[in-house]
Amino acid sequence: MTAGRRIRAVVIDLDDTLLSAYRRPDLAWRSVCQVYQTELGDLAPDVAARALTEAGRAFWSDPDSHAVGRADPKQARRVIAAKAFEALRRDSSPTVSPEIAERIADAFSLHRDRQMRLEPKADAVLVQLRDAGYRLALLTNGAGPLQRAKIERFGLASRFHHIQIEGEVGVGKPDPGAFRRVFAALNVDPPEVCVVGDSLEWDIRPAKALGCFTILYDPEAGQAVGRGFGDAHVVTRTLASLAPHLQERSSPPGRMDRAGRRSRRAD
């Protein structure tokens, strides 16, 4: 339990937490299909977008596909597009050639990359938490080169005491071993850790099971904001509210040295 322990460290997810990366695939597919309206021929862009969205949902909900896909998202989207247009073909709907399907999938990947951005206040919040004395770790799944490129692109590397990427260490969320590896690197116990992420399955539930304090980041949350939702202790729509939630949980930590030990204050 974290009730009697001061929060000393914050472990934060990358995609769709610090970065706006993969939300609303339906809107992204629709945007791409509208651009490719001529290539779609008799197939309405909205029909194609719905089929692509459904195929994507089925692909990412399968644990085996998810494991392969997060290592190579571009190839995963090609598979998704092929499955979507094959499903339309089986339903006797107008469809497109495999070449066009692949071009649409690659356009989707490019669209996602161009639209990717830091969440509002993300960098300022990281600076604020570090200045307050919290140990910070970035814990993300995916391939090392892909995730490192995002980290460098948005200048995040210097904000963290520890960065852990599934593809680099061989273990990822929701495996408890991934979290324990981070705790060891930060020299903290689970009750001293707040885990922040956008997924109940990948971030919140495994962290809470280990005894961490958890904050679900959901910018589209409704009345659940500020209260537990599912297994999360707190739900927030903004990253700017992280520090206040941590302060409510316990007194702010004192400064810590590089080894993660809290410095003593001369009173």
Side-chain angles (χ1 to χ4, degrees), residues 11-250:
V11 178
I12 307 179
D13 174 53
L14 181 63
D15 295 319
D16 289 331
T17 302
L18 289 177
L19 297 182
S20 177
Y22 303 125
R23 291 193 198 96
R24 296 304 303 267
D26 56 328
L27 299 182
W29 282 120
R30 184 183 303 170
S31 177
V32 170
C33 288
Q34 288 172 348
V35 172
Y36 276 78
Q37 186 167 2
T38 299
E39 288 84 348
L40 288 172
D42 294 333
L43 181 61
D46 283 353
V47 173
R50 282 196 297 272
L52 287 159
T53 300
E54 291 171 5
R57 186 179 299 114
F59 181 93
W60 293 113
S61 65
D62 179 77
D64 293 334
S65 296
H66 200 295
V68 174
R70 64 179 181 261
D72 190 351
K74 184 175 181 178
Q75 180 58 30
R77 290 157 186 158
R78 290 179 175 180
V79 172
I80 288 167
K83 290 180 178 295
F85 291 115
E86 177 59 32
L88 289 170
R89 188 177 294 109
R90 288 197 302 270
D91 290 341
S92 300
S93 298
T95 188
V96 300
S97 68
E99 292 76 18
I100 294 298
E102 186 171 298
R103 287 173 57 191
I104 290 173
D106 290 349
F108 180 90
S109 293
L110 182 60
H111 176 81
R112 282 302 208 192
D113 185 68
R114 288 175 173 172
Q115 294 295 313
M116 194 176 296
R117 66 187 188 279
L118 279 174
E119 286 288 291
K121 307 288 187 181
D123 190 63
V125 167
L126 294 176
V127 172
Q128 179 186 21
L129 293 177
R130 278 195 63 137
D131 287 348
Y134 293 102
R135 300 285 288 178
L136 298 185
L138 180 65
L139 177 59
T140 180
N141 283 352
L146 176 67
Q147 299 304 80
R148 284 286 172 187
K150 296 175 189 175
I151 292 165
E152 294 303 317
R153 174 180 171 183
F154 293 100
L156 295 172
S158 64
R159 303 306 187 198
F160 292 94
H161 300 93
H162 177 69
I163 293 175
Q164 185 170 305
I165 302 172
E166 177 189 25
E168 294 181 348
V169 301
V171 62
K173 300 177 289 186
D175 191 318
F179 291 90
R180 293 192 181 104
R181 188 183 182 102
V182 174
F183 304 156
L186 296 181
N187 193 25
V188 291
D189 296 323
E192 300 174 306
V193 178
C194 173
V195 172
V196 183
D198 68 299
S199 171
L200 288 172
E201 178 183 0
W202 298 89
D203 303 304
I204 303 304
R205 289 175 182 144
K208 189 176 180 183
L210 290 170
C212 300
F213 180 58
T214 58
I215 298 179
L216 178 69
Y217 175 61
D218 183 356
E220 298 180 357
Q223 295 181 352
V225 168
R227 299 179 296 169
F229 175 75
D231 292 325
H233 291 97
V234 172
V235 181
T236 181
R237 277 196 296 252
T238 68
L239 293 177
S241 68
L242 291 185
H245 283 308
L246 292 173
Q247 290 165 1
E248 290 173 5
R249 188 65 183 179
S250 63

